[in-house]
Amino acid sequence: MATRELICIICPKGCNLKAELDEDGKVLEVTGNTCKRGAEYAENECTNPMRTVTSTMRCSDGTVIPVKTTTPIPKGKIYECMNLINKGVVNLPVHIGDIVIADVFGSNIAVTENRT
Amino acid sequence: MTELVIIGGGPAGMSAALAAYENGVRDILILERDERLGGILQQCIHNGFGLHRFGEELTGPEYAWRYEERVRELGIPFKLNTMVMNITADKEITATNSIDGIFTIQAKAIILAMGCRERSRGALNIAGTRPAGVYSAGTAQKLVNMKGYMPGKNVVILGSGDIGLIMARRMSLEGAKVKAVCELMPYSGGLARNIEQCLNDFNIPLLLSHTVVKVHGKKRVEGVTIAKVDQFGKPIEDTMEFIECDTLLLSVGLIPENEISRSAGIDINRITNGAYVTQSRETSIPGVFACGNVLHVHDLVDYVSEEAEIAGENAALYIKGELKNDIDIPIETDGKVRYTVPQRITAKEDTKIFFRVANVYENATIKVYNGDEIIFKTSKSKVAPGEMQCITLKAQLLQNAEKLRIGLEVF
């Protein structure tokens, strides 16, 4: 059995979490969390860590616009995701929430700002 | 005459405007010096905003839009690209923009919501040359996130406040190598989650009790010398180490922008660098309110919005002649509590007191005294300067209060 100490990134509280793992890396117990999402985070973090990626993308007029993955993606795919974002071009106009690249590691890239 | 003029169209200004509107004020004008509403949130493209307010994780621009959309729906007037140059104790505002020229507005009430700015290199006395490549973290953030320029490739960051941490991740994502984040204090001023997801995720070392003692390079930064500091913050000579880099980002504190508040004669607190306020966020000039980072620097925009709503509601009461000012209870602090907001209570209502502590303390008991009598206490397993604390004093506790003192006991 192994123990992993984690800091929860779900909210600004930043709880100190402890996850008990068995030999196969399965999470047996999470302690230190003050909400349900904390336990969920610890479990994911030990098995398949996920992150929301935020960045900017070029627009057709040469400016940049902020974008994000609409849901978290596997942590190991962050740089591949950045490559896709950096290759893409956003055709204006766009409205907040518009998806500009679909199907990115189980998520989508959406703009987070309006631009005419 | 304009009933309510709000200086600043960031999260504080917009929340204050909406709260004033909802409390019956219709004659409102927001003055904003940038070309858009939203303030600093526009360049904070990362997520994590709005968990308290909306129960979801928004990016800065998304959070700002929630308020801007409402401001636009309600038709609350705002002037962009407009710089306020002066306000007087009589609430006359002098401002300028390229369309109206220089103009004055007489306001019945004013809400100060100008936000804060970053401490610069000049405030730090770092020795060495003056090459290109030294940026405040927020300037670098604007360059990367709004202008699409990378300020450098090999980066050292001084200061581990949240902006420094966020920029460490941002620069890494855009292909730069962040060699170290140095923090003068033995603890980080940033949120634990940001150390985790901005530094640890990218294997960026956080060097606590370290500072930059020298900048090298003639035209462009060629490196910095860092050193460990002793318990008094003084660099230890034989720990000096050269790090090659082309960019130094400074994330070394924020200063509320109160030049026009000072020239109006508003009393400014030396610790917060913001106005002294009552629980209604009224400053020492009746009818002038302050909220957001111009009042004291907040950790979370959610708290800025909450505070701005208090200012907006009370400005509306002031305009209607209904603002209560029937008592005057000052709030003092002991050394472990650095400051409170508000600093005085002028109405017997349930009152939230926000405060910051001076150091990291474990197993702390927060005690509120009226004279020698303890009227409120609560325990916290850990408090830190980077995390604003909040307690609520019920109206009945204020019944016999004359002078309050907030202290921290550590076991």
Side-chain angles (χ1 to χ4, degrees), chain B residues 316-327:
Chain B
L317 289 176
Y318 176 87
I319 290 163
K320 289 183 269 186
E322 293 168 8
L323 184 66
K324 271 197 257 172
N325 269 324
D326 41 15
I327 51 168

Side-chain angles (χ1 to χ4, degrees), chain B residues 119-131 133-136 156-159 182 184 210-216 221 223-227 235 247-252:
Chain B
R119 278 181 82 201
S120 61
R121 178 181 177 179
L124 298 180
N125 293 321
I126 304 175
T129 48
R130 295 287 182 271
V134 181
Y135 298 87
S136 67
V156 170
I157 299 177
L158 175 59
C182 296
L184 181 73
H210 274 74
T211 192
V212 171
V213 292
K214 194 171 177 184
V215 177
H216 304 263
V221 174
V224 294
T225 300
I226 65 163
T247 305
L248 173 66
L249 300 187
L250 303 174
S251 172
V252 290

Side-chain angles (χ1 to χ4, degrees), chain B residues 1-7 17 20 25-31 75-79 90-95 103-111 287-288 315 318-320:
Chain B
M1 169 80 94
T2 301
E3 281 199 327
L4 176 60
V5 176
I6 297 170
I7 305 176
V25 184
R26 290 293 175 272
D27 186 14
I28 304 174
L29 176 63
I30 302 172
L31 301 176
I76 297 175
F78 54 86
K79 281 182 188 288
D90 301 327
K91 299 190 271 288
E92 188 183 77
I93 295 155
T94 306
F103 58 99
T104 59
I105 307 166
Q106 179 62 54
K108 201 167 172 186
I110 295 174
I111 297 177
V288 180
Y318 176 87
I319 290 163
K320 289 183 269 186

